Amino acid sequence: MAFAPRGPEASFFQVLDQHRASLLAALRKGGGEPAGGGTRLATRFEDAVGLHMVPHCTTRKIKSDSPKSVKTFALILKILSMIYKLVQSNTYATKRDIYYTDSQLFGNQTVVDNIINDISCMLKVPRRSLHILSTSKGLIAGDLRYIEEDGTKVNCACATAVAVPSNIQGIQNLITDAKFLLIVEKDATFQRLLDDSFCTKMSPCIMVTGKGVPDLNTRLLVKKLWDTFHIPIFTLVDADPHGIEIMCIYKYGSMAMSFEAHNLTVPAIRWLGLLPSDIKRLNIPKGTLIPLTKQDQMKLDSVLKRPYITCQPFWRKEMEIMADSKMKAEIQALTFLSSDYLSRVYLPNKLKFGGWI
């Protein structure tokens, strides 16, 4: 056992255990991820992997003798030379490190980011195989221990959260007894749950936050935890189009990173809250709700048209509830019921009785 249990009675996790059994059964039936390939310019949706590249599609060419692309070609060669040195010396660098080797030449960080993505896509290898790391912004807490590449032992079962490692591929000896992993959209909500000792009260469990739109390392960590332990994974996001978008990135991936979908997406993720239907069910006052902006409505319409929504009729129903009401709600709206309603009542009941979709 990794840690002594301090949470609810074993019967509390009965529905969670049944959910995990169904996930494992789906994996045994061939719910694994099919092979992929291609370029970032064309994507296809498959329920078992999310958005991924389509093989044999049209590609973009960058020529050394074209005035329009000669600078881009030169920058690609420069970064390729840096990658070669990193791989040869078995050292790593962040995208920021590469930018600052010649910030005047590159102009801005976005140029470096796009070229690294192009190289990764062109060579059909994950970015970490190029020995280029992203700076982590995510946090993790709960029933998890592991050893980082440099031998540092990390215990996440502390009062304060631990930063997501910058080299996910290098972590090893992961140990957990967690019954579930909760992805929290916002850092403020994550910190509130820590303050309420949620990880202890619901022990054994793991919490992760990407502090909004998740960085690459946070997504890699969630994927690694799924591949290693196959425990149920849930998302806690605001009942708004932006929160739904973030949940979709974890579950199905994004167009920008579709060439790495097989290393990043976890289609087994479920939506735990805040559901638009919860707003009416819990009698949350209208005064705590926020009207959808024009941008919100456009985002919601865009998400509803995505191919993976056809596989999620319950998600579609929730989004239609939001569209019809023209209102959105932050997780903090639950504090109207009581200051600790989220950690004391809402999440425990959802987890105990299977209130996810």
Side-chain angles (χ1 to χ4, degrees):
M1 299 288 287
F3 303 98
R6 295 165 295 175
E9 296 292 330
S11 59
F12 177 91
F13 296 111
Q14 183 176 353
V15 177
L16 273 170
D17 290 340
Q18 291 171 355
H19 177 49
R20 186 182 185 219
S22 68
L23 293 174
L24 293 173
L27 286 173
R28 285 193 293 269
K29 288 180 181 178
E33 299 174 357
T39 76
R40 289 190 299 144
L41 303 182
T43 59
R44 178 173 62 206
F45 168 73
E46 291 184 22
D47 190 38
V49 67
L51 294 170
H52 67 103
M53 298 185 302
V54 176
H56 312 302
C57 62
T58 304
T59 58
R60 177 166 59 95
K61 295 182 179 180
I62 299 173
K63 299 181 179 180
S64 61
D65 57 353
S66 169
K68 291 183 179 180
S69 60
V70 64
K71 183 178 179 181
T72 302
F73 184 83
L75 293 178
I76 289 174
L77 288 181
K78 181 173 179 62
I79 292 179
L80 277 171
S81 70
M82 293 178 172
I83 291 170
Y84 177 77
K85 291 175 182 176
L86 289 170
V87 174
Q88 283 289 93
S89 61
N90 195 29
T91 55
Y92 292 83
T94 65
K95 294 186 295 182
R96 202 69 177 157
D97 293 334
I98 290 176
Y99 168 69
Y100 278 116
T101 59
D102 200 331
S103 58
Q104 288 188 336
L105 174 65
F106 293 122
N108 60 69
Q109 183 69 55
T110 303
V111 171
V112 174
D113 295 350
N114 290 339
I115 289 176
I116 290 171
N117 285 344
D118 285 340
I119 291 172
S120 180
C121 183
M122 177 178 65
L123 299 179
K124 298 181 181 178
V125 296
R127 186 192 303 164
R128 58 199 170 280
S129 296
L130 305 175
H131 284 231
I132 296 175
L133 306 176
S134 298
T135 303
S136 297
K137 67 170 182 171
L139 298 172
I140 184 167
D143 189 301
L144 180 67
R145 291 185 295 184
Y146 57 85
I147 299 176
E148 293 188 345
E149 189 179 34
D150 63 0
T152 302
K153 295 181 179 180
V154 179
N155 185 351
C156 301
C158 303
T160 56
V162 174
V164 170
S166 60
N167 187 359
I168 301 300
Q169 189 180 33
I171 64 175
Q172 54 190 332
N173 293 2
L174 288 91
I175 302 173
T176 187
D177 289 325
K179 291 288 189 177
F180 65 92
L181 165 62
L182 180 65
I183 300 172
V184 182
E185 175 192 351
K186 298 188 298 190
D187 184 40
T189 306
F190 181 87
Q191 297 297 337
R192 178 57 196 260
L193 290 173
L194 279 182
D195 291 342
D196 289 347
S197 302
F198 178 79
C199 285
T200 301
K201 294 173 183 175
M202 291 292 104
S203 178
C205 69
I206 301 171
M207 284 200 312
V208 169
T209 181
K211 297 183 179 180
V213 177
D215 59 283
L216 181 65
N217 290 324
T218 302
R219 293 175 63 190
L220 285 169
L221 177 64
V222 170
K223 173 68 170 177
K224 189 176 186 76
L225 291 173
W226 165 250
D227 287 344
T228 305
F229 301 111
H230 292 124
I231 57 175
I233 302 178
F234 305 107
T235 55
L236 177 64
V237 300
D238 287 336
D240 66 12
H242 185 67
I244 294 170
E245 174 81 277
I246 288 172
M247 175 173 59
C248 290
I249 290 173
Y250 282 107
K251 184 177 176 75
Y252 292 123
S254 62
M255 293 288 287
M257 296 298 292
S258 59
F259 62 93
E260 276 211 64
H262 296 270
N263 302 309
L264 295 171
T265 60
V266 185
I269 287 173
R270 298 292 184 264
W271 187 1
L272 188 65
L274 180 67
L275 302 180
S277 59
D278 290 337
I279 296 170
K280 183 177 181 180
R281 180 177 63 84
L282 297 173
N283 293 317
I284 296 174
K286 195 169 183 179
T288 64
L289 307 181
I290 306 169
L292 290 176
T293 65
K294 186 176 180 180
Q295 289 76 19
D296 288 332
Q297 292 174 339
M298 290 174 62
K299 171 65 72 176
L300 190 58
D301 290 342
S302 171
V303 175
L304 280 167
K305 293 175 182 176
R306 293 178 188 175
Y308 45 73
I309 297 302
T310 60
C311 304
Q312 297 291 342
F314 294 111
W315 283 29
R316 173 177 285 278
K317 183 178 179 181
E318 292 292 334
M319 284 185 268
E320 288 173 347
I321 291 173
M322 186 188 303
D324 292 341
S325 69
K326 294 182 171 56
M327 302 295 282
K328 60 183 179 180
E330 296 183 337
I331 296 166
Q332 284 74 12
L334 294 175
T335 58
F336 172 83
L337 302 173
S338 73
S339 60
D340 62 347
Y341 189 84
L342 176 65
S343 61
R344 181 176 57 85
V345 180
Y346 182 80
L347 290 176
N349 283 345
K350 285 263 186 173
L351 292 165
K352 182 176 182 179
F353 299 109
W356 54 77
I357 57 176

PDB file of all heavy atoms in Angstrom, residues 132-160:
ATOM      1  N   ILE A 132      13.411  18.853 -26.002  1.00  0.00           N
ATOM      2  CA  ILE A 132      12.884  20.193 -25.725  1.00  0.00           C
ATOM      3  C   ILE A 132      11.697  20.060 -24.782  1.00  0.00           C
ATOM      4  O   ILE A 132      10.753  19.316 -25.069  1.00  0.00           O
ATOM      5  CB  ILE A 132      12.465  20.905 -27.015  1.00  0.00           C
ATOM      6  CG1 ILE A 132      13.688  21.131 -27.919  1.00  0.00           C
ATOM      7  CG2 ILE A 132      11.792  22.243 -26.701  1.00  0.00           C
ATOM      8  CD1 ILE A 132      13.354  21.718 -29.261  1.00  0.00           C
ATOM      9  N   LEU A 133      11.772  20.754 -23.664  1.00  0.00           N
ATOM     10  CA  LEU A 133      10.742  20.675 -22.636  1.00  0.00           C
ATOM     11  C   LEU A 133       9.946  21.978 -22.581  1.00  0.00           C
ATOM     12  O   LEU A 133      10.426  23.033 -22.985  1.00  0.00           O
ATOM     13  CB  LEU A 133      11.377  20.405 -21.266  1.00  0.00           C
ATOM     14  CG  LEU A 133      12.300  19.187 -21.175  1.00  0.00           C
ATOM     15  CD1 LEU A 133      12.927  19.125 -19.790  1.00  0.00           C
ATOM     16  CD2 LEU A 133      11.533  17.902 -21.467  1.00  0.00           C
ATOM     17  N   SER A 134       8.742  21.871 -22.065  1.00  0.00           N
ATOM     18  CA  SER A 134       7.923  23.058 -21.819  1.00  0.00           C
ATOM     19  C   SER A 134       8.024  23.419 -20.344  1.00  0.00           C
ATOM     20  O   SER A 134       8.217  22.552 -19.488  1.00  0.00           O
ATOM     21  CB  SER A 134       6.461  22.787 -22.179  1.00  0.00           C
ATOM     22  OG  SER A 134       6.324  22.492 -23.538  1.00  0.00           O
ATOM     23  N   THR A 135       7.869  24.694 -20.050  1.00  0.00           N
ATOM     24  CA  THR A 135       7.832  25.130 -18.661  1.00  0.00           C
ATOM     25  C   THR A 135       6.478  24.759 -18.079  1.00  0.00           C
ATOM     26  O   THR A 135       5.438  25.053 -18.670  1.00  0.00           O
ATOM     27  CB  THR A 135       8.044  26.653 -18.558  1.00  0.00           C
ATOM     28  OG1 THR A 135       9.278  26.987 -19.173  1.00  0.00           O
ATOM     29  CG2 THR A 135       8.063  27.103 -17.112  1.00  0.00           C
ATOM     30  N   SER A 136       6.479  24.094 -16.942  1.00  0.00           N
ATOM     31  CA  SER A 136       5.229  23.649 -16.332  1.00  0.00           C
ATOM     32  C   SER A 136       4.580  24.764 -15.530  1.00  0.00           C
ATOM     33  O   SER A 136       5.263  25.556 -14.887  1.00  0.00           O
ATOM     34  CB  SER A 136       5.484  22.455 -15.404  1.00  0.00           C
ATOM     35  OG  SER A 136       5.966  21.346 -16.125  1.00  0.00           O
ATOM     36  N   LYS A 137       3.255  24.821 -15.585  1.00  0.00           N
ATOM     37  CA  LYS A 137       2.517  25.740 -14.719  1.00  0.00           C
ATOM     38  C   LYS A 137       1.519  24.989 -13.846  1.00  0.00           C
ATOM     39  O   LYS A 137       0.945  25.561 -12.924  1.00  0.00           O
ATOM     40  CB  LYS A 137       1.783  26.796 -15.552  1.00  0.00           C
ATOM     41  CG  LYS A 137       0.653  26.247 -16.409  1.00  0.00           C
ATOM     42  CD  LYS A 137      -0.180  27.372 -17.016  1.00  0.00           C
ATOM     43  CE  LYS A 137      -1.341  26.797 -17.821  1.00  0.00           C
ATOM     44  NZ  LYS A 137      -2.291  27.823 -18.259  1.00  0.00           N
ATOM     45  N   GLY A 138       1.322  23.706 -14.130  1.00  0.00           N
ATOM     46  CA  GLY A 138       0.335  22.918 -13.408  1.00  0.00           C
ATOM     47  C   GLY A 138       0.780  22.502 -12.021  1.00  0.00           C
ATOM     48  O   GLY A 138       1.964  22.563 -11.665  1.00  0.00           O
ATOM     49  N   LEU A 139      -0.202  22.050 -11.216  1.00  0.00           N
ATOM     50  CA  LEU A 139       0.047  21.587  -9.848  1.00  0.00           C
ATOM     51  C   LEU A 139      -0.623  20.240  -9.639  1.00  0.00           C
ATOM     52  O   LEU A 139      -1.626  19.916 -10.277  1.00  0.00           O
ATOM     53  CB  LEU A 139      -0.514  22.588  -8.829  1.00  0.00           C
ATOM     54  CG  LEU A 139       0.069  24.006  -8.828  1.00  0.00           C
ATOM     55  CD1 LEU A 139      -0.732  24.898  -7.895  1.00  0.00           C
ATOM     56  CD2 LEU A 139       1.540  23.989  -8.424  1.00  0.00           C
ATOM     57  N   ILE A 140      -0.069  19.464  -8.709  1.00  0.00           N
ATOM     58  CA  ILE A 140      -0.624  18.155  -8.380  1.00  0.00           C
ATOM     59  C   ILE A 140      -0.584  17.946  -6.876  1.00  0.00           C
ATOM     60  O   ILE A 140       0.328  18.432  -6.197  1.00  0.00           O
ATOM     61  CB  ILE A 140       0.153  17.031  -9.115  1.00  0.00           C
ATOM     62  CG1 ILE A 140      -0.475  15.672  -8.855  1.00  0.00           C
ATOM     63  CG2 ILE A 140       1.629  17.026  -8.724  1.00  0.00           C
ATOM     64  CD1 ILE A 140       0.024  14.575  -9.779  1.00  0.00           C
ATOM     65  N   ALA A 141      -1.593  17.265  -6.355  1.00  0.00           N
ATOM     66  CA  ALA A 141      -1.661  16.989  -4.919  1.00  0.00           C
ATOM     67  C   ALA A 141      -2.400  15.673  -4.701  1.00  0.00           C
ATOM     68  O   ALA A 141      -3.193  15.246  -5.547  1.00  0.00           O
ATOM     69  CB  ALA A 141      -2.371  18.126  -4.183  1.00  0.00           C
ATOM     70  N   GLY A 142      -2.131  15.039  -3.562  1.00  0.00           N
ATOM     71  CA  GLY A 142      -2.860  13.828  -3.212  1.00  0.00           C
ATOM     72  C   GLY A 142      -1.993  12.603  -3.086  1.00  0.00           C
ATOM     73  O   GLY A 142      -0.779  12.679  -2.839  1.00  0.00           O
ATOM     74  N   ASP A 143      -2.626  11.454  -3.281  1.00  0.00           N
ATOM     75  CA  ASP A 143      -2.009  10.150  -3.034  1.00  0.00           C
ATOM     76  C   ASP A 143      -1.129   9.738  -4.223  1.00  0.00           C
ATOM     77  O   ASP A 143      -1.541   8.948  -5.075  1.00  0.00           O
ATOM     78  CB  ASP A 143      -3.121   9.125  -2.811  1.00  0.00           C
ATOM     79  CG  ASP A 143      -2.606   7.780  -2.330  1.00  0.00           C
ATOM     80  OD1 ASP A 143      -1.791   7.160  -3.042  1.00  0.00           O
ATOM     81  OD2 ASP A 143      -3.029   7.354  -1.263  1.00  0.00           O
ATOM     82  N   LEU A 144       0.041  10.301  -4.292  1.00  0.00           N
ATOM     83  CA  LEU A 144       0.959   9.978  -5.384  1.00  0.00           C
ATOM     84  C   LEU A 144       2.400  10.222  -4.958  1.00  0.00           C
ATOM     85  O   LEU A 144       2.710  11.249  -4.349  1.00  0.00           O
ATOM     86  CB  LEU A 144       0.655  10.822  -6.625  1.00  0.00           C
ATOM     87  CG  LEU A 144       1.549  10.582  -7.844  1.00  0.00           C
ATOM     88  CD1 LEU A 144       1.323   9.183  -8.423  1.00  0.00           C
ATOM     89  CD2 LEU A 144       1.315  11.644  -8.918  1.00  0.00           C
ATOM     90  N   ARG A 145       3.254   9.267  -5.276  1.00  0.00           N
ATOM     91  CA  ARG A 145       4.689   9.424  -5.085  1.00  0.00           C
ATOM     92  C   ARG A 145       5.397   8.973  -6.353  1.00  0.00           C
ATOM     93  O   ARG A 145       4.923   8.087  -7.060  1.00  0.00           O
ATOM     94  CB  ARG A 145       5.193   8.579  -3.897  1.00  0.00           C
ATOM     95  CG  ARG A 145       4.715   9.078  -2.537  1.00  0.00           C
ATOM     96  CD  ARG A 145       5.334   8.287  -1.406  1.00  0.00           C
ATOM     97  NE  ARG A 145       4.889   6.886  -1.432  1.00  0.00           N
ATOM     98  CZ  ARG A 145       5.239   6.001  -0.492  1.00  0.00           C
ATOM     99  NH1 ARG A 145       6.043   6.357   0.486  1.00  0.00           N
ATOM    100  NH2 ARG A 145       4.792   4.760  -0.567  1.00  0.00           N
ATOM    101  N   TYR A 146       6.529   9.593  -6.634  1.00  0.00           N
ATOM    102  CA  TYR A 146       7.320   9.206  -7.798  1.00  0.00           C
ATOM    103  C   TYR A 146       8.748   9.713  -7.629  1.00  0.00           C
ATOM    104  O   TYR A 146       9.055  10.489  -6.715  1.00  0.00           O
ATOM    105  CB  TYR A 146       6.700   9.741  -9.093  1.00  0.00           C
ATOM    106  CG  TYR A 146       6.518  11.238  -9.140  1.00  0.00           C
ATOM    107  CD1 TYR A 146       7.559  12.088  -9.535  1.00  0.00           C
ATOM    108  CD2 TYR A 146       5.293  11.821  -8.798  1.00  0.00           C
ATOM    109  CE1 TYR A 146       7.390  13.466  -9.582  1.00  0.00           C
ATOM    110  CE2 TYR A 146       5.120  13.200  -8.842  1.00  0.00           C
ATOM    111  CZ  TYR A 146       6.168  14.010  -9.233  1.00  0.00           C
ATOM    112  OH  TYR A 146       5.999  15.366  -9.276  1.00  0.00           O
ATOM    113  N   ILE A 147       9.607   9.260  -8.528  1.00  0.00           N
ATOM    114  CA  ILE A 147      11.011   9.680  -8.533  1.00  0.00           C
ATOM    115  C   ILE A 147      11.279  10.396  -9.848  1.00  0.00           C
ATOM    116  O   ILE A 147      10.981   9.872 -10.928  1.00  0.00           O
ATOM    117  CB  ILE A 147      11.963   8.479  -8.377  1.00  0.00           C
ATOM    118  CG1 ILE A 147      11.704   7.768  -7.047  1.00  0.00           C
ATOM    119  CG2 ILE A 147      13.419   8.939  -8.447  1.00  0.00           C
ATOM    120  CD1 ILE A 147      12.534   6.506  -6.858  1.00  0.00           C
ATOM    121  N   GLU A 148      11.820  11.611  -9.761  1.00  0.00           N
ATOM    122  CA  GLU A 148      12.146  12.362 -10.967  1.00  0.00           C
ATOM    123  C   GLU A 148      13.421  11.828 -11.598  1.00  0.00           C
ATOM    124  O   GLU A 148      14.147  11.033 -10.994  1.00  0.00           O
ATOM    125  CB  GLU A 148      12.282  13.854 -10.642  1.00  0.00           C
ATOM    126  CG  GLU A 148      10.960  14.492 -10.222  1.00  0.00           C
ATOM    127  CD  GLU A 148      11.056  15.992 -10.086  1.00  0.00           C
ATOM    128  OE1 GLU A 148      12.187  16.521 -10.032  1.00  0.00           O
ATOM    129  OE2 GLU A 148       9.991  16.649 -10.030  1.00  0.00           O
ATOM    130  N   GLU A 149      13.689  12.275 -12.809  1.00  0.00           N
ATOM    131  CA  GLU A 149      14.820  11.750 -13.580  1.00  0.00           C
ATOM    132  C   GLU A 149      16.156  11.925 -12.850  1.00  0.00           C
ATOM    133  O   GLU A 149      17.051  11.078 -12.950  1.00  0.00           O
ATOM    134  CB  GLU A 149      14.883  12.423 -14.949  1.00  0.00           C
ATOM    135  CG  GLU A 149      15.892  11.800 -15.900  1.00  0.00           C
ATOM    136  CD  GLU A 149      15.892  12.491 -17.251  1.00  0.00           C
ATOM    137  OE1 GLU A 149      15.673  13.702 -17.298  1.00  0.00           O
ATOM    138  OE2 GLU A 149      16.116  11.794 -18.260  1.00  0.00           O
ATOM    139  N   ASP A 150      16.284  13.012 -12.082  1.00  0.00           N
ATOM    140  CA  ASP A 150      17.542  13.265 -11.367  1.00  0.00           C
ATOM    141  C   ASP A 150      17.627  12.545 -10.031  1.00  0.00           C
ATOM    142  O   ASP A 150      18.576  12.744  -9.269  1.00  0.00           O
ATOM    143  CB  ASP A 150      17.749  14.770 -11.164  1.00  0.00           C
ATOM    144  CG  ASP A 150      16.657  15.390 -10.289  1.00  0.00           C
ATOM    145  OD1 ASP A 150      15.756  14.659  -9.838  1.00  0.00           O
ATOM    146  OD2 ASP A 150      16.711  16.623 -10.067  1.00  0.00           O
ATOM    147  N   GLY A 151      16.625  11.695  -9.735  1.00  0.00           N
ATOM    148  CA  GLY A 151      16.644  10.930  -8.494  1.00  0.00           C
ATOM    149  C   GLY A 151      15.875  11.559  -7.347  1.00  0.00           C
ATOM    150  O   GLY A 151      15.743  10.949  -6.279  1.00  0.00           O
ATOM    151  N   THR A 152      15.336  12.757  -7.548  1.00  0.00           N
ATOM    152  CA  THR A 152      14.563  13.426  -6.498  1.00  0.00           C
ATOM    153  C   THR A 152      13.278  12.652  -6.218  1.00  0.00           C
ATOM    154  O   THR A 152      12.514  12.338  -7.131  1.00  0.00           O
ATOM    155  CB  THR A 152      14.209  14.868  -6.916  1.00  0.00           C
ATOM    156  OG1 THR A 152      15.411  15.580  -7.194  1.00  0.00           O
ATOM    157  CG2 THR A 152      13.433  15.569  -5.809  1.00  0.00           C
ATOM    158  N   LYS A 153      13.038  12.347  -4.932  1.00  0.00           N
ATOM    159  CA  LYS A 153      11.818  11.660  -4.530  1.00  0.00           C
ATOM    160  C   LYS A 153      10.739  12.694  -4.223  1.00  0.00           C
ATOM    161  O   LYS A 153      10.979  13.638  -3.474  1.00  0.00           O
ATOM    162  CB  LYS A 153      12.073  10.778  -3.311  1.00  0.00           C
ATOM    163  CG  LYS A 153      13.025   9.626  -3.583  1.00  0.00           C
ATOM    164  CD  LYS A 153      13.230   8.763  -2.345  1.00  0.00           C
ATOM    165  CE  LYS A 153      14.174   7.593  -2.638  1.00  0.00           C
ATOM    166  NZ  LYS A 153      14.395   6.749  -1.446  1.00  0.00           N
ATOM    167  N   VAL A 154       9.569  12.522  -4.813  1.00  0.00           N
ATOM    168  CA  VAL A 154       8.484  13.491  -4.661  1.00  0.00           C
ATOM    169  C   VAL A 154       7.289  12.809  -4.011  1.00  0.00           C
ATOM    170  O   VAL A 154       6.853  11.736  -4.446  1.00  0.00           O
ATOM    171  CB  VAL A 154       8.073  14.084  -6.028  1.00  0.00           C
ATOM    172  CG1 VAL A 154       6.922  15.063  -5.850  1.00  0.00           C
ATOM    173  CG2 VAL A 154       9.259  14.756  -6.700  1.00  0.00           C
ATOM    174  N   ASN A 155       6.761  13.431  -2.971  1.00  0.00           N
ATOM    175  CA  ASN A 155       5.556  12.959  -2.298  1.00  0.00           C
ATOM    176  C   ASN A 155       4.500  14.055  -2.417  1.00  0.00           C
ATOM    177  O   ASN A 155       4.664  15.151  -1.878  1.00  0.00           O
ATOM    178  CB  ASN A 155       5.856  12.655  -0.827  1.00  0.00           C
ATOM    179  CG  ASN A 155       4.656  12.046  -0.112  1.00  0.00           C
ATOM    180  OD1 ASN A 155       3.552  12.002  -0.650  1.00  0.00           O
ATOM    181  ND2 ASN A 155       4.869  11.575   1.105  1.00  0.00           N
ATOM    182  N   CYS A 156       3.427  13.768  -3.121  1.00  0.00           N
ATOM    183  CA  CYS A 156       2.388  14.773  -3.361  1.00  0.00           C
ATOM    184  C   CYS A 156       1.353  14.832  -2.242  1.00  0.00           C
ATOM    185  O   CYS A 156       0.464  15.685  -2.277  1.00  0.00           O
ATOM    186  CB  CYS A 156       1.680  14.490  -4.687  1.00  0.00           C
ATOM    187  SG  CYS A 156       2.782  14.490  -6.121  1.00  0.00           S
ATOM    188  N   ALA A 157       1.459  13.929  -1.269  1.00  0.00           N
ATOM    189  CA  ALA A 157       0.493  13.889  -0.168  1.00  0.00           C
ATOM    190  C   ALA A 157       0.888  14.875   0.921  1.00  0.00           C
ATOM    191  O   ALA A 157       1.150  14.506   2.064  1.00  0.00           O
ATOM    192  CB  ALA A 157       0.395  12.470   0.391  1.00  0.00           C
ATOM    193  N   CYS A 158       0.931  16.136   0.569  1.00  0.00           N
ATOM    194  CA  CYS A 158       1.325  17.190   1.502  1.00  0.00           C
ATOM    195  C   CYS A 158       0.230  18.259   1.538  1.00  0.00           C
ATOM    196  O   CYS A 158      -0.679  18.269   0.722  1.00  0.00           O
ATOM    197  CB  CYS A 158       2.652  17.818   1.077  1.00  0.00           C
ATOM    198  SG  CYS A 158       4.013  16.643   0.936  1.00  0.00           S
ATOM    199  N   ALA A 159       0.346  19.155   2.502  1.00  0.00           N
ATOM    200  CA  ALA A 159      -0.647  20.227   2.644  1.00  0.00           C
ATOM    201  C   ALA A 159      -0.597  21.184   1.461  1.00  0.00           C
ATOM    202  O   ALA A 159      -1.608  21.780   1.093  1.00  0.00           O
ATOM    203  CB  ALA A 159      -0.413  20.979   3.947  1.00  0.00           C
ATOM    204  N   THR A 160       0.583  21.340   0.878  1.00  0.00           N
ATOM    205  CA  THR A 160       0.729  22.216  -0.284  1.00  0.00           C
ATOM    206  C   THR A 160       0.929  21.373  -1.542  1.00  0.00           C
ATOM    207  O   THR A 160       1.423  20.248  -1.481  1.00  0.00           O
ATOM    208  CB  THR A 160       1.932  23.154  -0.112  1.00  0.00           C
ATOM    209  OG1 THR A 160       3.120  22.374   0.119  1.00  0.00           O
ATOM    210  CG2 THR A 160       1.711  24.088   1.069  1.00  0.00           C
TER     211      THR A 160
END
